[in-house]
Amino acid sequence: MKLTLRSLAALLGYPSAELKENAGEIRHVLRAEGVLPAAELARLETLLSRLETMELLDLQSGYSELFDRSRSLSLHLFEHVHGDSRERGQAMIDLGQQYMESGFFLEASELPDFVPVFLEYASCLSARDAREMLGQPAHVFAALAERLDKREAPYGAVFHALVALSKVRVAADARALVDENTPAEDAADIDAEWEEAPVSFNLGGAHEMGGPTGVVAKIRASNRPVNQEAAR
């Protein structure tokens, strides 16, 4: 499961030339490790194929349109669990503390509830503990999968895969709770954030939401003990 989780984390990262170049290797890893059902591997094929064939700028534009301009598709877990409530800050601290106690240290720009970071942490755990970790936000993953499916966005396949890995049966009322907690969209606020954000023309630079870089290195680094792992 370790390599599969790292592969899924990479797929949720901001599209890069490295990710495009190694989409085929990610496909191979997902099939070789064999922890995902055939149906989920088939779902992921659309995303992998797009990464291989589409222009990088188009991939980046599509990613930003989904995940930067819609709070309902935020890749930050606590956005959907706590919304704008005070509990969100404490939950962030608690999760960060859990990472530190396991020897998993974040860079200053990363938030612990960012899904790719969360998956990298889970990949450092035993298969049993990783499933338990995935099971806690499984209702969030299911809700995101459903929302992305409605937009016909191939990233929904990643969240379907995470629900499958968790082996949790997500009830409809649990998904409804996510809808209740996720803050409503505010186009004006989102546009203001975009206007204030610094402009960068470095296509290889880190995306503002953080996330994994060095895709192949992370997938291959499967045998390090937890206390040597760090989100990059």
Side-chain angles (χ1 to χ4, degrees), residues 44-206:
L44 287 163
E45 185 56 36
T46 300
L47 176 58
L48 289 165
S49 296
R50 289 196 184 189
L51 287 170
E52 289 176 315
T53 59
M54 287 181 64
E55 293 293 328
L56 180 57
L57 284 175
D58 292 335
L59 290 169
Q60 292 173 335
S61 174
Y63 182 97
S64 294
E65 190 66 29
L66 284 172
F67 299 120
D68 292 348
R69 295 185 64 82
S70 174
R71 296 186 75 179
S72 68
L73 297 177
S74 172
L75 291 179
H76 290 279
L77 291 171
F78 295 147
E79 182 93 6
H80 309 288
V81 177
H82 299 293
D84 294 323
S85 69
R86 294 181 179 179
E87 286 80 4
R88 183 177 179 183
Q90 186 59 52
M92 199 83 72
I93 292 171
D94 292 343
L95 184 58
Q97 185 64 34
Q98 182 176 346
Y99 289 172
M100 290 180 63
E101 289 173 356
S102 298
F104 186 85
F105 300 100
L106 302 179
E107 291 184 353
S109 62
E110 294 176 324
L111 293 176
D113 71 331
F114 185 55
V115 176
V117 172
F118 180 84
L119 297 183
E120 285 196 38
Y121 171 71
S123 77
C124 300
L125 307 176
S126 67
R128 179 179 178 179
D129 289 344
R131 289 191 192 281
E132 182 179 344
M133 195 77 182
L134 293 174
Q136 294 176 28
H139 59 301
V140 175
F141 296 151
L144 287 170
E146 185 176 288
R147 293 170 187 174
L148 287 162
D149 286 349
K150 287 180 180 178
R151 296 184 183 221
E152 299 183 351
Y155 284 99
V158 178
F159 293 100
H160 283 292
L162 293 174
V163 174
L165 286 176
S166 75
K167 295 189 175 180
V168 169
R169 195 181 192 94
V170 180
D173 57 346
R175 291 197 299 272
L177 184 61
V178 175
D179 293 335
E180 190 176 304
N181 288 333
T182 300
E185 303 290 352
D186 190 330
D189 287 348
I190 294 172
D191 287 341
E193 289 176 7
W194 272 47
E195 288 173 4
E196 294 170 5
V199 176
S200 171
F201 295 98
N202 178 12
L203 297 182

Side-chain angles (χ1 to χ4, degrees), residues 29-46:
V29 165
L30 291 171
R31 292 176 178 175
E33 195 166 43
V35 296
L36 282 174
E40 303 310 330
L41 290 173
R43 283 187 206 257
L44 287 163
E45 185 56 36
T46 300

